[in-house]
Amino acid sequence: MALMPMVLTSCGSDDDDNEQAGRIVGVWKETYYWHDDTHSFRGWQGRGYVHAFKSDGTHIVYDDPKSYEAGEIRKQGTYSFDGTYLVVDGGFKRKVTFTENGNGFEWEQTAIMEKY
């Protein structure tokens, strides 16, 4: 599949873009995940990966809250977030929609996250 370059422009200021992109920084618990067989979100039932997005562009995944508390890393990589799209490890690109209160967000057809 060929990749086509895309040019995006914005009428907002760089400060607005940086503020929006900064909203992803923090620790989030994956409470629901996309299930391909049923084409719907399924709950983790108390478990769920914990994702840490750091301001330096580092993304760390833990198996669950207990692993996070113990510092047991499942995998570590990088991410970028432009305020709309989240790209993890240079791989998948998913649109992010934050909840109104900012305590949660949805990775388009991937997962639903809540502040941890």
Side-chain angles (χ1 to χ4, degrees), residues 18-52:
N18 290 337
E19 182 179 319
Q20 183 69 7
R23 291 179 69 185
I24 202 80
V25 173
V27 179
W28 303 84
K29 182 179 177 216
E30 190 173 314
T31 54
Y32 297 90
Y33 66 96
W34 183 255
H35 192 266
D36 286 331
D37 292 343
T38 63
H39 300 285
S40 63
F41 283 108
R42 283 197 174 169
W44 278 102
Q45 301 173 350
R47 292 200 58 189
Y49 295 122
V50 173
H51 297 258

Side-chain angles (χ1 to χ4, degrees), residues 39 59 93:
H39 300 285
H59 172 234
K93 179 179 181 179

Side-chain angles (χ1 to χ4, degrees), residues 26-28 30 44 48-54 56-64 67-68 71-79 86-92 107 110-111 113:
V27 179
W28 303 84
E30 190 173 314
W44 278 102
Y49 295 122
V50 173
H51 297 258
F53 296 97
K54 299 187 173 193
D56 67 357
T58 304
H59 172 234
I60 302 171
V61 181
Y62 304 87
D63 282 327
D64 53 35
S67 297
Y68 169 72
E72 299 168 352
I73 295 172
R74 176 183 181 87
K75 70 179 186 175
Q76 185 170 346
T78 60
Y79 78 94
L86 177 65
V87 178
V88 177
D89 292 332
F92 72 83
W107 265 343
T110 303
M113 317 284 269

